[in-house]
Amino acid sequence: MSEHTEKATPSPVDADRSAEEQLRKFGYKQELQRGLSLRDLIVYGLVFMVPIAPFAIFGIVFNASHGMVPLTYLIGLVAMLFTALSYRAMSRAFPVAGSVYSYAGRGIGNSAGFIAGWAILLDYLLVPTLLYVTGAVALAAVVPAIPQSVWVVIFVVFNTVVNLAGIKITALANRAFLIGEMVILALFVVIAVIAVAQGKGGAHWSLTPFFNSGQFSLSLMFGALSIAVLSFLGFDAISTMSEEVAGESKLVGRATVLSLCMVATLFVIQTYLAALLVPGQTEFATEDAANNAFYDISGRAAGHWMLVVTAVTAALAAAVANSLVAQAATSRLLYSMARDGALPRFLSHISPRRKVPDRAVLLVAVLSLFLGLVFVGQIAFLSTLVNFGALVAFLLLHLSVAVYYLIKRRERTYGMHLVVPAVGFVIIAYVLYNADTPAKVGGLIWLAIGVILLLVRKAMGRDTTINLDEAEG
């Protein structure tokens, strides 16, 4: 009994050694610093997804769903949960830093891994830029004397300094940002509950935001979900921290599922209360009204001061907290692809002192700064491209689960490794089908460039070779 207990709960030191030995089986050595706990991973996922993400897009999702925003986020939870389970399955099999790039590469093949990595790079590279631009627009409205370009520079410099300081400093910053967001969210919830109880503006308790029979249709909800899915992107990035986890590799999959469920619960609560404060309404008349809907609702519930608080908090959450973890995730993906030779190898350099991929962090900073200054104020254009790459990568993730477990390992776990990825694949494909045309066009151009690069590398004899010894074992 005691032996069983000891095996089931290894000491942190033994767990780290086991993780490092497992990493060596894949042909890699331990270079990044292991120091992240389950709580750190959950916080990382929550900060990346942003607990107050609906603040910024509430009005847009409201119009697309005809007022059924909380229902949209419930459907989103179900949709993303299948993807989270696929991430959990692959992170347990391959506890390495490359996320879907590594999973598709080892689950399906090298070419699939390259395309998956290239696809999600579109998301990871543009997300920090989009967040910087969004934050700059919001703060410029509050402090018009400071140009938006200055805000972009400030955000990029701050996040780069924190990320270069080491993963433990980044983790501490994540906790501080998360606490701040949760305090503001709790304040809104209390104010909204009081406002509904007092019947402000005709508000009253109702289940209409969850289901309005006169407006509901499946195509309507999935059209709204193609927008709302932006709020969920980030749970997948937890897997990029696999080589920095202190303890068992299973913690990555556990944190992925837990953080997704937790943030979805917060999304549903805040959007339900906000929807109740605009009773009988199914759309906002103008684009400006939709963009500022949540802030206006907050002001209506408690006064102009609450409008300013929610607007500034949303801006800082996006441009600082969310961008911080986005830069960290992107740098780990670049590091992993460069380590395998899929990208220039100089990006695989690790700082001897801080144990972070410093060159990858700096490259992300430079690209974000350049793109942020070029596209400052152009939120709509950037938003159309962000989701496409992640959704395509998710499709390859689901395929990799089925191919790896059922074909390569010949297991008969049809429920978790066939049904789950199959359902997840269909849902993601349908969401992708309902995406905006500009997103499809821009995304397909990006994928075409990736395919050309892959073919060129093959022609030059420089195709990526991923160590598959463990996968075949």
Side-chain angles (χ1 to χ4, degrees):
M1 186 71 170
S2 61
E3 288 184 5
H4 176 77
T5 304
E6 187 177 349
K7 290 181 180 179
T9 56
S11 69
V13 174
D14 291 338
D16 283 350
R17 287 176 181 170
S18 176
E20 291 175 12
E21 289 174 4
Q22 195 171 15
L23 189 61
R24 281 195 290 271
K25 291 181 181 179
F26 294 113
Y28 304 129
K29 63 180 181 179
Q30 185 67 46
E31 295 181 295
L32 301 172
Q33 182 181 10
R34 290 192 178 273
L36 299 179
S37 64
L38 175 63
R39 181 173 63 178
D40 291 329
L41 293 173
I42 291 175
V43 169
Y44 179 87
L46 289 175
V47 172
F48 205 137
M49 286 182 280
V50 187
I52 59 173
F55 281 20
I57 62 172
F58 174 81
I60 302 171
V61 180
F62 189 93
N63 284 358
S65 64
H66 292 187
M68 292 176 282
V69 185
L71 176 60
T72 302
Y73 279 109
L74 276 179
I75 296 174
L77 169 61
V78 175
M80 292 297 105
L81 191 56
F82 286 99
T83 300
L85 290 173
S86 286
Y87 264 104
R88 186 182 69 172
M90 296 306 284
S91 68
R92 289 179 175 180
F94 305 107
V96 294
S99 185
V100 69
Y101 153 71
S102 296
Y103 304 155
R106 291 180 167 83
I108 303 174
N110 295 337
S111 296
F114 182 88
I115 295 301
W118 183 259
I120 208 162
L121 265 179
L122 178 62
D123 170 32
Y124 280 12
L125 289 176
L126 285 182
V127 161
T129 302
L130 173 61
L131 296 171
Y132 292 138
V133 170
T134 301
V137 170
L139 291 185
V142 178
V143 190
I146 300 179
Q148 294 181 27
S149 56
V150 174
W151 287 117
V152 171
V153 173
I154 292 173
F155 295 146
V156 172
V157 171
F158 176 82
N159 285 346
T160 302
V161 170
V162 174
N163 269 312
L164 287 175
I167 193 61
K168 290 186 177 180
I169 300 299
T170 304
L172 288 173
N174 288 341
R175 292 183 192 179
F177 290 136
L178 181 60
I179 290 172
E181 292 177 37
M182 295 302 292
V183 167
I184 300 303
L185 179 55
L187 178 63
F188 169 77
V189 169
V190 171
I191 288 173
V193 168
I194 294 173
V196 173
Q198 293 177 345
K200 277 195 175 182
H204 59 279
W205 298 108
S206 168
L207 293 178
T208 301
F210 281 106
F211 186 75
N212 186 338
S213 59
Q215 302 289 334
F216 178 85
S217 74
L218 199 58
S219 60
L220 176 77
M221 299 313 301
F222 272 88
L225 182 58
S226 69
I227 302 169
V229 73
L230 179 64
S231 302
F232 288 104
L233 298 185
F235 72 89
D236 53 295
I238 293 175
S239 60
T240 64
M241 298 289 133
S242 291
E243 294 177 34
E244 291 161 273
V245 176
E248 298 177 284
S249 59
K250 291 182 179 181
L251 296 182
V252 172
R254 198 176 303 164
T256 300
V257 175
L258 287 174
S259 63
L260 177 64
C261 293
M262 291 168 68
V263 82
T265 301
L266 297 175
F267 289 168
V268 170
I269 292 173
Q270 63 193 277
T271 56
Y272 173 61
L273 291 171
L276 289 178
L277 291 170
V278 283
Q281 193 168 328
T282 57
E283 66 175 341
F284 295 98
T286 66
E287 184 178 354
D288 284 343
N291 289 338
N292 297 314
F294 201 99
Y295 312 131
D296 291 337
I297 290 170
S298 299
R300 207 176 304 165
H304 183 72
W305 69 271
M306 189 61 187
L307 182 153
V308 173
V309 167
T310 53
V312 172
T313 302
L316 294 178
V320 180
N322 197 354
S323 296
L324 178 68
V325 293
Q327 185 182 37
T330 306
S331 65
R332 269 62 175 183
L333 178 60
L334 292 174
Y335 159 76
S336 183
M337 295 183 73
R339 180 175 60 181
D340 285 337
L343 292 175
R345 290 193 180 275
F346 82 92
L347 292 172
S348 64
H349 181 267
I350 297 295
S351 167
R353 183 180 177 186
R354 300 297 181 182
K355 301 297 182 182
V356 296
D358 50 356
R359 293 176 184 173
V361 169
L362 289 172
L363 177 61
V364 176
V366 171
L367 288 174
S368 297
L369 181 60
F370 173 75
L371 293 173
L373 295 177
V374 170
F375 295 110
V376 67
Q378 301 183 44
I379 297 175
F381 175 76
L382 290 170
S383 298
T384 58
L385 295 176
V386 168
N387 288 353
F388 187 92
L391 294 175
V392 170
F394 291 169
L395 292 178
L396 288 171
L397 168 73
H398 289 303
L399 284 177
S400 69
V401 172
V403 171
Y404 174 67
Y405 282 99
L406 301 182
I407 297 178
K408 290 190 173 183
R409 293 187 57 169
R410 298 181 181 179
E411 295 186 2
R412 297 182 179 180
T413 49
Y414 298 117
M416 186 58 66
H417 300 139
L418 178 60
V419 175
V420 168
V423 173
F425 185 95
V426 171
I427 293 175
I428 295 299
Y430 192 58
V431 174
L432 195 58
Y433 174 78
N434 283 281
D436 291 340
T437 300
K440 295 176 184 176
V441 173
L444 288 173
I445 291 174
W446 176 262
L447 285 181
I449 295 173
V451 171
I452 292 172
L453 286 175
L454 179 62
L455 294 175
V456 169
R457 292 184 67 83
K458 284 189 173 184
M460 296 175 63
R462 296 175 59 191
D463 189 23
T464 301
T465 300
I466 298 176
N467 189 335
L468 293 174
D469 291 344
E470 181 70 12
E472 301 296 337

